[in-house]
Amino acid sequence: NMFNYVDRHIVSALAPAIKADLKLDDADMGFLLGTAFAVLYGVLGIAMGRIADALSRTKLMAGGLALWSTMTALSGGATSFASLSAARLGVGVGEATANPVSQSMLSDYFPARNRGAVLGVYLASVHLGHAAALILGGMFLKNWSNMCSVFPDGACGLASWRAAFLIVGLPGLILAVLIFFLR
């Protein structure tokens, strides 16, 4: 869930750099910061709850996580409002699996007497993920020129906001593989 909220909110911290680099206006940014994600997430979240009752929850979670992480990383390659919008819509589609599937899996894995504590930790990750997104986004914007040398050649040629999306999206792919093989 923390990955969910980092990938969802990193765009907020990166917004000024994205707006300047892609020459976007306030309406474009409003769409990217809210509508692009919320519409598909809201509608598909209902469907994903039903799908989670019918399919393998671990496979569905792994697939959703892989999709939203990939789309977060691909956000760093956006060259226009349209391509960044498409990537953010993809984040919303992937993340629509997160809450219905996670809560269902937690109910499967933990006995009723522990669910309050487990769901408390799960819900705390919402705020931790949001905070981490803002911290990481700010860190990339401020320090990328100093950090880029530890990455492969050519990384220093990336704009800080592009690097942030790419680097923040990749760990979710590793976690998706691990989740895929859970029983």
Side-chain angles (χ1 to χ4, degrees), residues 11 14 20 25 31 39 42 50 70 73 76 80 89 92 133 155 165:
V11 69
L14 304 175
D25 61 28
F31 182 80
V39 171
R50 182 69 181 118
T70 298
S80 66
L89 288 167
F165 275 130

Side-chain angles (χ1 to χ4, degrees), residues 148-168:
C148 65
S149 61
V150 301
F151 293 94
D153 286 343
C156 290
L158 286 175
S160 57
W161 68 269
R162 293 179 185 283
F165 275 130
L166 180 64
I167 293 168
V168 165

